[in-house]
Amino acid sequence: MTGTTEGSAPRRTRIQQEKRELILEAALEVFSANGFRGSTIDQIAEAAGMSKPNLLYYFRRKEDIHETLMQRLLDTWLAPLRELDDIGDPLTELRSYIRRKLEMARDFPRESRLFANEILQGAPRIRPMLEGELKTLVDEKATVIKGWMRAGKIARTDPWHLIFSIWATTQHYADFDVQVRAVLGADRGGDGRFEDAARFLEQLFLDGLKPKS
Amino acid sequence: MTGTTEGSAPRRTRIQQEKRELILEAALEVFSANGFRGSTIDQIAEAAGMSKPNLLYYFRRKEDIHETLMQRLLDTWLAPLRELDDIGDPLTELRSYIRRKLEMARDFPRESRLFANEILQGAPRIRPMLEGELKTLVDEKATVIKGWMRAGKIARTDPWHLIFSIWATTQHYADFDVQVRAVLGADRGGDGRFEDAARFLEQLFLDGLKPKS
DNA sequence: CAAATTTTTGACCGGTTGGACAAACGTTAG
DNA sequence: CTAACGTTTGTCCAACCGGTCAAAAATTTG
């Protein structure tokens, strides 16, 4: 640990970087499938192709892996919401936010499930982040949305619950994937289900269910 | 429940009935908060006010408790969907289905979380039921909804994804309760959040976000 | 090369967990 | 009272799990 001290981030060798990455990837697989308490260090080590003590050389405690994973996750997970911008047509903005979120559910289901697992258990490890960083971000975007409503660009509703409903409907396709596939069956449960979902959600959020008449 | 032997259901004394009920209530509390693997028999026993061997006298294995719980759960959990009827105004029917589901999320959050936990882990213990009983029920209701669409009573969309979206948006308030409260904050995260959610969801599903103009 | 440092591993440990078991306890019927 | 039956508990065990440690192996450095 020589040379210039770098804030709090420890210096790491190239091999440490790679192995840590390997472990985090394996841990994401295992944690998202079994939850934190349901996963064992041995499982993660095996998935990463190394022995348990070797893994513990890179991460001292099981919780350290989970914590690191969680920190990285939140950044990428909230990126779509951060991109929700005041410039451009409101309805278009919301539509692309929904689309981006749905794509994340499709492309990063493990991340979604890891997050869902944490929240389901009461978010013991990230509650401060929810009440701090997340709340701030959502409040900020809610203000933007309220502006759109005042300007008559979208219908008046509760912006917070609107955001909740977008989270719920999109992440559902990652978190409840097994159920979705089971209900849709072999024929409709294939790759096309995300396109069907995208079409449906667009209509739901824009027009609702009332008939044109 | 006296006298005659009833198929495969084992005969039980009154005290057995009561204690089993007590255990299932305690297990619901513990399982829904910690997941299956995250819960210990000791925890359940303590929550039920008895010793571990005593608990194991009523349920031979930990998994038996979970299985029994799961079977009962599914019945009550799908009741609102079963009630979705072809009689009455379609939009009203859907609106009350959403309301009933939201009430269940409010009144039975533990059941919702238990179910979510199971699905998240890949539904190892109830997959057959999803592909069988659940799929049948949903397909049946999808047909009803399709009829409404053909009759011009509601807009044309994918009935399956419509049902998914109702599940997702309502159960979100039970499964992600911690997050919802954190984001809404102390002032808006109180008991009123379910009424706000009900109002929002009604508007979303009926009219969508497009402004009246 | 050899010394120093980093990486990997086998063996081990203490605590926990699911579950077995026999003995004790309580209750009821004869 | 006592025998029979249902209930409860203390004790025990084997498997598992998170984590330690010292020593070997590999790699880097001089």
Side-chain angles (χ1 to χ4, degrees), chain A residues 13 15-16 19 54 57-58:
Chain A
T13 68
I15 199 168
Q16 273 175 342
K19 294 279 170 140
N54 196 188
Y57 170 70
Y58 293 104

Side-chain angles (χ1 to χ4, degrees), chain B residues 30-54:
Chain B
V30 176
F31 279 147
S32 66
N34 308 107
F36 181 76
R37 294 208 51 187
S39 306
T40 72
I41 299 182
D42 276 303
Q43 284 172 355
I44 301 173
E46 195 195 338
M50 61 180 70
S51 65
K52 179 170 68 169
N54 196 188

Side-chain angles (χ1 to χ4, degrees), chain A residues 25 28-29 32 69-70 72-74 76-77 104-105 107-118 171 174-175:
Chain A
E25 157 64 27
L28 174 60
E29 187 72 27
S32 67
L69 217 45
M70 223 59 189
R72 292 201 188 181
L73 172 57
L74 275 181
T76 63
W77 206 241
M104 293 201 63
D107 299 334
F108 306 104
R110 298 177 307 175
E111 281 82 351
S112 184
R113 281 193 277 262
L114 180 65
F115 190 73
N117 248 310
E118 177 70 10
Q171 292 175 5
D175 303 342

Side-chain angles (χ1 to χ4, degrees), chain A residues 146-159:
Chain A
K146 270 186 178 169
W148 293 342
M149 291 176 184
R150 257 191 298 272
K153 297 289 190 176
I154 65 174
R156 290 183 183 269
T157 13
D158 189 311

